Protein backbone atom coordinates (compact mmCIF):
# COMPACT_ATOMS: atom_id res chain seq x y z
CA UNK A 1 0.00 0.00 0.00
CA UNK A 2 2.75 2.44 0.83
CA UNK A 3 5.06 1.92 -2.13
CA UNK A 4 7.61 4.54 -1.14
CA UNK A 5 7.66 3.23 2.44
CA UNK A 6 8.65 -0.19 1.19
CA UNK A 7 11.45 1.30 -0.91
CA UNK A 8 12.90 3.03 2.13
CA UNK A 9 12.73 -0.07 4.29
CA UNK A 10 16.34 -1.14 3.71
CA UNK A 11 17.90 2.19 4.61
CA UNK A 12 15.50 3.59 7.18
CA UNK A 13 17.63 2.56 10.15
CA UNK A 14 20.94 3.63 8.62
CA UNK A 15 22.44 5.84 11.39
CA UNK A 16 24.25 8.05 8.89
CA UNK A 17 21.09 8.69 6.87
CA UNK A 18 19.11 9.36 10.01
CA UNK A 19 21.71 11.85 11.22
CA UNK A 20 21.71 13.62 7.86
CA UNK A 21 17.94 13.73 7.85
CA UNK A 22 17.77 15.21 11.35
CA UNK A 23 20.44 17.78 10.46
CA UNK A 24 18.30 18.83 7.51
CA UNK A 25 15.26 19.19 9.77
CA UNK A 26 17.26 21.17 12.33
CA UNK A 27 18.44 23.53 9.58
CA UNK A 28 14.80 24.21 8.59
CA UNK A 29 15.29 22.74 5.12
CA UNK A 30 12.00 21.39 3.76
CA UNK A 31 11.67 17.68 3.05
CA UNK A 32 10.30 17.07 -0.45
CA UNK A 33 8.56 13.95 -1.84
CA UNK A 34 11.61 12.47 -3.59
CA UNK A 35 13.93 13.04 -0.64
CA UNK A 36 14.92 10.13 1.56
CA UNK A 37 12.96 10.05 4.81
CA UNK A 38 12.61 7.56 7.69
CA UNK A 39 9.64 5.27 7.38
CA UNK A 40 8.35 6.51 10.72
CA UNK A 41 8.36 10.08 9.40
CA UNK A 42 6.42 9.05 6.30
CA UNK A 43 3.90 7.00 8.27
CA UNK A 44 3.36 9.82 10.75
CA UNK A 45 2.74 12.30 7.95
CA UNK A 46 0.26 9.98 6.24
CA UNK A 47 -1.61 9.56 9.50
CA UNK A 48 -1.63 13.27 10.33
CA UNK A 49 -2.36 14.63 6.84
CA UNK A 50 -4.91 11.90 6.14
CA UNK A 51 -6.81 12.57 9.35
CA UNK A 52 -6.60 16.30 8.71
CA UNK A 53 -8.08 15.79 5.23
CA UNK A 54 -10.85 13.57 6.59
CA UNK A 55 -11.68 16.24 9.19
CA UNK A 56 -12.12 18.86 6.47
CA UNK A 57 -14.48 16.60 4.52
CA UNK A 58 -16.50 15.31 7.49
CA UNK A 59 -16.56 18.87 8.82
CA UNK A 60 -18.82 19.85 5.94
CA UNK A 61 -21.63 17.67 7.30
CA UNK A 62 -22.76 19.59 10.41
CA UNK A 63 -22.64 22.89 8.50
CA UNK A 64 -23.99 21.69 5.16
CA UNK A 65 -27.12 20.65 7.00
CA UNK A 66 -27.83 24.33 7.70
CA UNK A 67 -27.32 25.85 4.23
CA UNK A 68 -31.01 25.73 3.33
CA UNK A 69 -32.05 26.84 6.83
CA UNK A 70 -29.75 29.85 7.21
CA UNK A 71 -31.85 32.90 8.19
CA UNK A 72 -31.09 35.10 5.16
CA UNK A 73 -29.97 34.70 1.56
CA UNK A 74 -26.66 36.36 2.44
CA UNK A 75 -26.07 33.88 5.26
CA UNK A 76 -26.90 31.00 2.91
CA UNK A 77 -24.36 32.24 0.36
CA UNK A 78 -21.65 32.72 3.00
CA UNK A 79 -22.21 29.28 4.51
CA UNK A 80 -22.29 27.65 1.09
CA UNK A 81 -18.95 29.29 0.24
CA UNK A 82 -17.50 28.12 3.54
CA UNK A 83 -18.57 24.50 3.01
CA UNK A 84 -17.09 24.67 -0.47
CA UNK A 85 -13.82 25.91 1.03
CA UNK A 86 -13.72 22.90 3.34
CA UNK A 87 -14.04 20.57 0.35
CA UNK A 88 -11.11 22.37 -1.24
CA UNK A 89 -9.04 22.01 1.92
CA UNK A 90 -9.66 18.28 1.87
CA UNK A 91 -8.52 18.18 -1.76
CA UNK A 92 -5.27 20.05 -1.01
CA UNK A 93 -4.51 17.70 1.86
CA UNK A 94 -5.33 14.48 0.02
CA UNK A 95 -3.05 15.68 -2.77
CA UNK A 96 -0.26 16.34 -0.25
CA UNK A 97 -0.71 12.85 1.22
CA UNK A 98 -0.51 11.30 -2.25
CA UNK A 99 3.05 12.58 -2.57
CA UNK A 100 3.90 10.13 0.24
CA UNK A 101 2.84 7.09 -1.79
CA UNK A 102 -0.73 6.57 -0.60
CA UNK A 103 -3.75 7.10 -2.84
CA UNK A 104 -6.83 9.12 -2.04
CA UNK A 105 -8.94 5.97 -2.35
CA UNK A 106 -6.76 4.16 0.18
CA UNK A 107 -7.09 7.04 2.64
CA UNK A 108 -10.87 7.03 2.24
CA UNK A 109 -11.03 3.29 2.75
CA UNK A 110 -8.99 3.67 5.95
CA UNK A 111 -11.52 6.23 7.20
CA UNK A 112 -14.50 4.04 6.35
CA UNK A 113 -13.13 0.89 7.97
CA UNK A 114 -11.99 2.68 11.12
CA UNK A 115 -8.21 2.65 10.61
CA UNK A 116 -8.17 6.46 10.40
CA UNK A 117 -10.04 9.04 12.45
CA UNK A 118 -11.17 12.62 12.03
CA UNK A 119 -11.45 15.46 14.54
CA UNK A 120 -13.67 14.51 17.48
CA UNK A 121 -15.50 17.86 17.32
CA UNK A 122 -17.47 16.79 14.25
CA UNK A 123 -19.18 14.06 16.22
CA UNK A 124 -21.23 16.70 18.05
CA UNK A 125 -24.51 17.98 16.57
CA UNK A 126 -25.36 21.49 15.37
CA UNK A 127 -28.79 21.93 16.92
CA UNK A 128 -29.62 25.51 15.88
CA UNK A 129 -28.28 28.50 13.97
CA UNK A 130 -26.25 29.72 16.96
CA UNK A 131 -24.30 26.45 16.77
CA UNK A 132 -23.13 27.42 13.27
CA UNK A 133 -21.78 30.64 14.76
CA UNK A 134 -20.08 28.76 17.58
CA UNK A 135 -18.57 26.29 15.11
CA UNK A 136 -17.07 29.13 13.10
CA UNK A 137 -15.85 31.02 16.14
CA UNK A 138 -14.64 28.18 18.35
CA UNK A 139 -13.98 25.23 16.04
CA UNK A 140 -12.37 27.21 13.24
CA UNK A 141 -10.60 29.32 15.86
CA UNK A 142 -9.10 26.16 17.37
CA UNK A 143 -8.28 24.90 13.87
CA UNK A 144 -6.39 28.10 13.09
CA UNK A 145 -4.48 27.80 16.35
CA UNK A 146 -3.50 24.27 15.36
CA UNK A 147 -2.79 25.00 11.72
CA UNK A 148 -0.90 28.30 11.58
CA UNK A 149 2.25 26.64 13.01
CA UNK A 150 1.89 23.91 10.37
CA UNK A 151 2.80 26.48 7.72
CA UNK A 152 6.33 25.94 9.08
CA UNK A 153 6.11 22.15 9.25
CA UNK A 154 9.07 20.28 7.81
CA UNK A 155 7.29 18.50 4.93
CA UNK A 156 7.12 20.85 1.94
CA UNK A 157 3.79 19.84 0.34
CA UNK A 158 2.00 19.94 3.70
CA UNK A 159 3.54 23.27 4.62
CA UNK A 160 2.55 24.87 1.32
CA UNK A 161 -1.01 23.51 1.46
CA UNK A 162 -1.43 25.03 4.90
CA UNK A 163 -0.65 28.55 3.70
CA UNK A 164 -3.83 28.81 1.64
CA UNK A 165 -5.91 26.79 4.09
CA UNK A 166 -5.03 29.12 6.96
CA UNK A 167 -5.96 32.21 4.94
CA UNK A 168 -9.40 30.77 4.27
CA UNK A 169 -9.88 29.48 7.82
CA UNK A 170 -9.37 32.99 9.15
CA UNK A 171 -12.42 34.11 7.18
CA UNK A 172 -14.40 31.16 8.52
CA UNK A 173 -13.58 32.16 12.08
CA UNK A 174 -14.69 35.74 11.43
CA UNK A 175 -17.92 34.49 9.85
CA UNK A 176 -18.71 32.49 12.97
CA UNK A 177 -17.86 35.34 15.31
CA UNK A 178 -20.07 37.68 13.31
CA UNK A 179 -23.01 35.29 13.74
CA UNK A 180 -22.36 35.10 17.49
CA UNK A 181 -22.16 38.88 17.71
CA UNK A 182 -25.50 39.31 15.96
CA UNK A 183 -27.07 36.69 18.25
CA UNK A 184 -25.54 38.16 21.41
CA UNK A 185 -26.74 41.66 20.47
CA UNK A 186 -30.19 40.45 19.43
CA UNK A 187 -33.21 39.49 21.47
CA UNK A 188 -32.93 37.86 24.88
CA UNK A 189 -33.89 34.53 23.29
CA UNK A 190 -31.14 34.88 20.66
CA UNK A 191 -28.54 35.68 23.32
CA UNK A 192 -29.62 32.60 25.27
CA UNK A 193 -29.17 30.51 22.12
CA UNK A 194 -25.66 31.90 21.69
CA UNK A 195 -24.78 31.15 25.31
CA UNK A 196 -26.22 27.64 25.02
CA UNK A 197 -24.12 26.97 21.90
CA UNK A 198 -21.00 28.19 23.74
CA UNK A 199 -21.85 26.00 26.73
CA UNK A 200 -22.16 22.84 24.61
CA UNK A 201 -19.21 23.39 22.26
CA UNK A 202 -16.60 24.90 24.59
CA UNK A 203 -15.13 21.68 25.94
CA UNK A 204 -15.36 19.75 22.64
CA UNK A 205 -13.38 22.65 21.14
CA UNK A 206 -10.69 22.27 23.80
CA UNK A 207 -10.50 18.58 22.88
CA UNK A 208 -9.51 19.52 19.32
CA UNK A 209 -5.91 20.01 20.42
CA UNK A 210 -5.64 16.36 21.37
CA UNK A 211 -4.96 14.74 24.71
CA UNK A 212 -2.84 16.36 27.40
CA UNK A 213 0.89 16.26 26.79
CA UNK A 214 1.22 13.54 29.43
CA UNK A 215 -1.10 11.31 27.37
CA UNK A 216 0.18 12.22 23.90
CA UNK A 217 2.30 9.34 22.59
CA UNK A 218 3.51 11.00 19.39
CA UNK A 219 4.47 14.52 20.46
CA UNK A 220 8.16 14.09 21.34
CA UNK A 221 9.22 12.54 18.03
CA UNK A 222 6.89 14.74 16.00
CA UNK A 223 8.39 17.83 17.60
CA UNK A 224 11.91 16.61 16.82
CA UNK A 225 10.94 16.04 13.19
CA UNK A 226 9.09 19.39 13.11
CA UNK A 227 5.98 17.69 11.87
CA UNK A 228 4.43 19.35 14.89
CA UNK A 229 5.62 22.75 16.08
CA UNK A 230 3.89 23.09 19.47
CA UNK A 231 2.62 20.73 22.14
CA UNK A 232 -1.11 20.09 22.62
CA UNK A 233 -1.18 21.91 25.95
CA UNK A 234 0.68 24.94 24.59
CA UNK A 235 -1.85 25.36 21.80
CA UNK A 236 -4.81 24.77 24.11
CA UNK A 237 -3.53 27.48 26.49
CA UNK A 238 -3.13 29.95 23.61
CA UNK A 239 -6.65 29.20 22.44
CA UNK A 240 -8.13 29.82 25.89
CA UNK A 241 -6.17 33.04 26.34
CA UNK A 242 -7.35 34.31 22.94
CA UNK A 243 -10.97 33.24 23.24
CA UNK A 244 -11.89 34.41 26.75
CA UNK A 245 -11.61 38.15 25.89
CA UNK A 246 -13.67 37.52 22.74
CA UNK A 247 -16.43 35.93 24.82
CA UNK A 248 -16.32 38.84 27.27
CA UNK A 249 -16.73 41.29 24.38
CA UNK A 250 -19.82 39.38 23.27
CA UNK A 251 -21.22 39.46 26.78
CA UNK A 252 -21.14 35.67 26.97
CA UNK A 253 -19.74 33.52 29.77
CA UNK A 254 -17.22 30.74 29.33
CA UNK A 255 -18.79 27.68 31.04
CA UNK A 256 -15.91 27.11 33.45
CA UNK A 257 -16.23 28.09 37.10
CA UNK A 258 -12.49 27.58 37.56
CA UNK A 259 -11.54 30.04 34.82
CA UNK A 260 -9.25 32.67 36.31
CA UNK A 261 -6.43 34.93 35.13
CA UNK A 262 -3.05 33.78 36.44
CA UNK A 263 -0.68 36.73 36.61
CA UNK A 264 2.38 34.53 37.17
CA UNK A 265 2.01 32.56 33.96
CA UNK A 266 0.41 35.39 32.00
CA UNK A 267 -2.56 33.28 31.01
CA UNK A 268 -5.80 31.80 32.25
CA UNK A 269 -6.16 28.84 34.54
CA UNK A 270 -8.97 26.68 33.21
CA UNK A 271 -10.62 23.28 33.64
CA UNK A 272 -9.57 20.41 31.40
CA UNK A 273 -12.21 18.77 29.27
CA UNK A 274 -13.54 15.34 30.20
CA UNK A 275 -10.85 13.12 28.69
CA UNK A 276 -12.95 10.01 29.26
CA UNK A 277 -15.55 11.55 26.95
CA UNK A 278 -12.84 12.45 24.43
CA UNK A 279 -11.49 8.91 24.16
CA UNK A 280 -15.02 7.51 24.12
CA UNK A 281 -15.89 9.70 21.13
CA UNK A 282 -12.68 8.62 19.37
CA UNK A 283 -13.76 5.00 19.83
CA UNK A 284 -16.94 5.76 17.89
CA UNK A 285 -19.36 6.42 20.73
CA UNK A 286 -20.03 10.13 20.26
CA UNK A 287 -23.45 11.65 19.57
CA UNK A 288 -22.99 11.69 15.77
CA UNK A 289 -20.24 9.12 15.01
CA UNK A 290 -22.64 6.69 13.36
CA UNK A 291 -24.36 9.39 11.30
CA UNK A 292 -21.10 10.88 10.08
CA UNK A 293 -19.67 7.56 8.90
CA UNK A 294 -22.97 6.53 7.34
CA UNK A 295 -22.92 9.77 5.33
CA UNK A 296 -19.34 9.17 4.18
CA UNK A 297 -20.08 5.53 3.28
CA UNK A 298 -23.13 6.62 1.28
CA UNK A 299 -21.11 9.27 -0.56
CA UNK A 300 -18.42 6.68 -1.33
CA UNK A 301 -20.94 4.15 -2.64
CA UNK A 302 -22.95 6.71 -4.61
CA UNK A 303 -19.79 8.03 -6.24
CA UNK A 304 -18.52 4.62 -7.40
CA UNK A 305 -19.90 5.06 -10.92
CA UNK A 306 -18.07 8.39 -11.27
CA UNK A 307 -14.76 6.87 -10.18
CA UNK A 308 -15.26 3.88 -12.47
CA UNK A 309 -16.09 6.15 -15.41
CA UNK A 310 -13.03 8.31 -14.84
CA UNK A 311 -10.77 5.27 -14.63
CA UNK A 312 -12.28 3.81 -17.82
CA UNK A 313 -11.79 7.12 -19.62
CA UNK A 314 -8.19 7.38 -18.44
CA UNK A 315 -7.51 3.82 -19.58
CA UNK A 316 -9.06 4.54 -22.98
CA UNK A 317 -6.83 7.60 -23.43
CA UNK A 318 -3.80 5.62 -22.33
CA UNK A 319 -4.55 2.84 -24.81
CA UNK A 320 -5.09 5.33 -27.63
CA UNK A 321 -1.78 7.03 -26.91
CA UNK A 322 0.04 3.69 -26.85
CA UNK A 323 -1.52 2.67 -30.17
CA UNK A 324 -0.50 5.99 -31.75
CA UNK A 325 3.10 5.49 -30.70
Amino acid sequence: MYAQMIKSEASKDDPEKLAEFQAKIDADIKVEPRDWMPEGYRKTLIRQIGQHAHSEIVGQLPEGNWITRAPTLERKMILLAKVQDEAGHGLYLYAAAETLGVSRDELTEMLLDGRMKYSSIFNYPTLNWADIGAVGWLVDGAAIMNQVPLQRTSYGPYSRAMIRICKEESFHQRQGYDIMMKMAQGTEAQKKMAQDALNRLWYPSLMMFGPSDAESVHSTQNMAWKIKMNTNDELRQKFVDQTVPQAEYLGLTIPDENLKWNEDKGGYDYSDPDWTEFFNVLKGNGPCNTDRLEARNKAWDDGAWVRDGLMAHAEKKRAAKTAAE
Side-chain angles (χ1 to χ4, degrees):
M1 182 166 59
Y2 302 154
Q4 292 189 33
M5 287 183 186
I6 295 172
K7 289 180 182 177
S8 69
E9 186 72 28
S11 59
K12 66 175 182 176
D13 293 324
D14 184 326
E16 185 175 343
K17 282 185 174 290
L18 287 171
E20 290 174 356
F21 181 80
Q22 190 60 55
K24 183 176 185 178
I25 297 293
D26 294 341
D28 289 326
I29 299 172
K30 296 297 183 192
V31 179
E32 299 298 341
R34 294 187 179 182
D35 295 345
W36 181 88
M37 62 189 76
E39 183 182 0
Y41 179 86
R42 192 189 308 275
K43 282 185 174 180
T44 298
L45 282 169
I46 288 174
R47 178 183 60 81
Q48 180 168 321
I49 299 173
Q51 293 181 176
H52 190 170
H54 297 327
S55 298
E56 298 284 355
I57 299 302
V58 175
Q60 298 175 97
L61 298 175
E63 294 182 307
N65 189 41
W66 278 91
I67 292 172
T68 59
R69 294 184 285 166
T72 67
L73 178 59
E74 181 183 30
R75 291 293 185 189
K76 286 178 172 65
M77 293 172 63
I78 293 170
L79 186 57
L80 181 62
K82 180 184 179 184
V83 171
Q84 181 176 312
D85 282 349
E86 307 296 0
H89 297 173
L91 177 63
Y92 305 151
L93 293 164
Y94 284 133
E98 285 178 323
T99 66
L100 293 159
V102 59
S103 73
R104 202 168 311 179
D105 285 359
E106 287 176 305
L107 290 170
T108 301
E109 288 165 0
M110 284 189 273
L111 169 67
L112 299 181
D113 67 20
R115 285 176 290 158
M116 268 194 174
K117 305 294 183 182
Y118 53 87
S119 180
S120 60
I121 188 68
F122 300 121
N123 289 312
Y124 292 85
T126 46
L127 303 178
N128 56 51
W129 179 246
D131 286 20
I132 299 302
V135 166
W137 172 35
L138 300 175
V139 176
D140 290 318
I144 292 168
M145 195 66 67
N146 267 319
Q147 294 172 11
V148 165
L150 292 176
Q151 294 176 105
R152 297 180 286 112
T153 193
S154 60
Y155 189 57
Y158 193 21
S159 170
R160 292 187 287 273
M162 291 313 305
I163 293 172
R164 177 164 182 173
I165 289 173
C166 286
K167 288 179 180 178
E168 293 178 349
E169 290 289 4
S170 68
F171 284 100
H172 299 173
Q173 197 266 352
R174 294 175 199 176
Q175 171 255 2
Y177 195 71
D178 182 64
I179 292 173
M180 295 298 281
M181 187 179 297
K182 293 293 191 296
M183 300 287 286
Q185 295 174 351
T187 66
E188 189 61 31
Q190 288 174 319
K191 185 171 183 178
K192 286 182 179 179
M193 287 175 65
Q195 182 64 58
D196 176 62
L198 173 57
N199 292 347
R200 286 182 288 103
L201 291 173
W202 173 251
Y203 285 106
S205 296
L206 293 187
M207 295 176 191
M208 288 180 65
F209 299 96
S212 66
D213 293 343
E215 298 290 330
S216 181
V217 298
H218 302 290
S219 286
T220 301
Q221 183 60 74
N222 289 354
M223 295 278 285
W225 278 335
K226 296 186 180 179
I227 292 175
K228 189 172 182 177
M229 310 303 291
N230 301 91
T231 71
N232 297 347
D233 288 340
E234 286 173 349
L235 292 172
R236 196 168 7 253
Q237 182 69 59
K238 288 179 66 177
F239 174 74
V240 172
D241 293 345
Q242 171 183 285
T243 308
V244 171
Q246 294 172 352
E248 291 174 348
Y249 182 81
L250 293 174
L252 301 178
T253 303
I254 299 292
D256 181 358
E257 60 183 15
N258 296 317
L259 186 71
K260 183 180 180 181
W261 178 257
N262 184 324
E263 193 67 40
D264 291 337
K265 74 176 184 181
Y268 286 91
D269 292 331
Y270 62 93
S271 301
D272 279 340
D274 182 345
W275 292 119
T276 300
E277 177 183 329
F278 171 74
F279 287 111
N280 197 39
V281 171
L282 285 187
K283 290 176 182 177
N285 301 317
C288 298
N289 286 71
T290 299
D291 292 342
R292 301 298 185 236
L293 281 179
E294 281 182 355
R296 292 308 305 140
N297 272 286
K298 185 178 185 301
W300 179 250
D301 293 341
D302 290 350
W305 69 274
V306 178
R307 297 191 301 275
D308 292 344
L310 289 171
M311 292 301 294
H313 179 65
E315 184 57 38
K316 183 176 179 180
K317 287 183 68 176
R318 190 180 301 111
K321 182 178 179 181
T322 301
E325 292 174 349

